[in-house]
Amino acid sequence: MEVGQKIHYMVVTGHFIDGDWKLQKRVLNFCYVPPLHSGVVIADALYKCITGWGIENKVASITVDNASNNDLALKNLQGTFKLLKKKLLFDGKLFHVRCCAHILNLMVQDGLSVIGGVIECVREAVKYLVASEPRLIQFSEIAKQLQLPSKKLILDCPTRWNSAYLMLSAALEFKDVFPRYSERDLSFAYVPSYDEWEKVERVCQFLEIFNDVTNIISGSEYPTSNLFLTEVWRIKEILDKIIEDSDDCIRLMAIRKKLKFDKYWGESNLLMGLGAILDPRYKMVLPRFCFPVIDNDPQKKVS
């Protein structure tokens, strides 16, 4: 069961495989949740949904975004189930699952703060250019003179980290255009230095992997539960390597991401392991391989 929130409404969705082995996604409920969205209010709304469907003894896990009110809501709900002696799978250890894509978003946003000044400079440059058609035309003409590929500048969305990555990687293609454009437009004051572009390039190489992982685990037209463990292992392995990087900026970014990684992926590793085991290509081979890298107590989890 996956829970999302839209303004004052709660969306509860479920995924299942039909008789033809095709992934189905269904909206199970769309209900009004009165403000303020405290943990108690969210827990009450979820409890009404679950009891209304008569599945109190069948809930394995509930996936929510990582927010303090959601933490409190699921703690409250789990306590209610235990008081009522409702059966919880694995004694409730897998009851609360944090959204994998949301944790990735938090990890990257925290890491991006290391180069916040450069990102802001690039963002303001793109804003300035896309706000005027003549400016874009002049910018494109300079790019043609330098025989650069005919790509477009991208303005990021503050709530989606991978849009910041896409903005930076697109701007990187035009790093030689920015100073030449500033010579023609004296009002254009957003030109990152050579060292700053070097940082952007290194960071984009790092973020490309996170972007790939986000796209894989956010898929809605194919099963994803069997893919989480391999992708989380991939991230952990990369973080362990980059944390030894000679570049202070990259190393600090990796340290911040690793702190988030260790904080949020604890018990969830077990659930990811179950998803992998149910994939006949992996079975127990994958957990035995991945857990020693991503978990502090791998043998216990494997057992």
Side-chain angles (χ1 to χ4, degrees):
M1 182 187 296
E2 188 171 350
V3 179
Q5 293 178 41
K6 294 183 178 180
I7 311 175
H8 298 314
Y9 289 86
M10 183 170 70
V11 186
V12 184
T13 59
H15 296 77
F16 63 93
I17 305 293
D18 66 15
D20 295 322
W21 290 93
K22 291 181 180 178
L23 180 69
Q24 300 292 326
K25 179 179 180 180
R26 295 288 182 269
V27 175
L28 303 177
N29 208 344
F30 186 79
C31 56
Y32 174 72
V33 181
L36 299 168
H37 296 159
S38 67
V40 174
V41 170
I42 294 170
D44 287 346
L46 279 171
Y47 185 75
K48 284 178 185 175
C49 292
I50 291 166
T51 52
W53 299 322
I55 58 170
E56 300 96 311
N57 289 312
K58 298 177 182 178
V59 179
S61 65
I62 300 179
T63 303
V64 290
D65 280 353
N66 186 62
S68 57
N69 57 347
N70 286 336
D71 289 349
L72 182 61
L74 291 202
K75 186 178 180 181
N76 188 305
L77 188 61
Q78 188 172 359
T80 302
F81 279 172
K82 285 186 176 179
L83 281 173
L84 297 174
K85 300 191 181 331
K86 300 299 180 184
K87 184 180 177 183
L88 291 176
L89 194 67
F90 294 105
D91 197 31
K93 284 185 179 179
L94 306 181
F95 185 75
H96 179 189
V97 178
R98 292 176 172 87
C99 173
C100 213
H102 190 239
I103 293 172
L104 275 178
N105 182 45
L106 291 175
M107 286 173 65
V108 179
Q109 291 283 16
D110 201 36
L112 283 174
S113 63
V114 175
I115 60 161
V118 185
I119 294 173
E120 188 59 29
C121 180
V122 172
R123 182 181 292 123
E124 290 303 314
V126 175
K127 273 185 188 177
Y128 181 85
L129 291 164
V130 299
S132 167
E133 188 68 26
R135 291 173 195 163
L136 273 178
I137 292 170
Q138 191 172 29
F139 189 86
S140 298
E141 285 173 355
I142 299 168
K144 284 178 183 176
Q145 288 174 11
L146 297 176
Q147 298 182 344
L148 294 173
S150 56
K151 290 186 177 181
K152 290 184 179 179
L153 291 168
I154 298 170
L155 186 61
D156 71 326
C157 169
T159 57
R160 293 178 60 237
W161 79 263
N162 48 343
S163 71
Y165 158 72
L166 295 172
M167 177 186 73
L168 291 173
S169 57
L172 196 58
E173 299 278 347
F174 301 106
K175 65 179 181 180
D176 294 324
V177 180
F178 283 83
R180 287 168 174 80
Y181 178 82
S182 67
E183 291 169 359
R184 293 162 174 78
D185 184 348
L186 299 180
S187 299
F188 185 74
Y190 316 104
V191 184
S193 67
Y194 176 81
D195 288 341
E196 286 174 328
W197 280 123
E198 284 282 303
K199 281 185 182 177
V200 169
E201 189 168 7
R202 293 291 312 280
V203 166
C204 283
Q205 289 170 356
F206 186 31
L207 294 182
E208 185 178 8
I209 299 145
F210 283 81
N211 187 54
D212 290 344
V213 172
T214 299
N215 289 334
I216 289 168
I217 66 173
S218 299
S220 59
E221 296 180 357
Y222 52 85
T224 56
S225 57
N226 59 319
L227 305 176
F228 287 149
L229 187 61
T230 48
E231 297 308 319
V232 169
W233 164 82
R234 182 180 167 195
I235 288 171
K236 182 61 162 57
E237 193 177 50
I238 289 160
L239 287 175
D240 286 344
K241 285 179 183 176
I242 297 178
I243 215 162
E244 303 295 332
D245 199 280
S246 58
D247 187 309
D248 290 341
C249 175
I250 297 296
R251 190 168 62 252
L252 180 57
M253 186 178 283
I255 289 169
R256 289 192 176 185
K257 290 179 192 300
K258 191 174 183 298
L259 287 171
K260 281 277 194 292
F261 184 101
D262 293 337
K263 180 180 178 181
Y264 294 127
W265 277 317
E267 292 296 342
S268 298
N269 294 338
L270 184 57
L271 187 62
M272 293 177 193
L274 293 174
I277 289 165
L278 293 172
D279 188 323
R281 298 168 299 176
Y282 300 143
K283 297 188 178 178
M284 279 299 295
V285 174
L286 198 62
R288 286 196 182 104
F289 178 75
C290 293
F291 279 0
V293 177
I294 66 174
D295 204 276
N296 293 326
D297 192 2
Q299 209 51 50
K300 184 181 177 183
K301 293 282 173 70
V302 170
S303 299

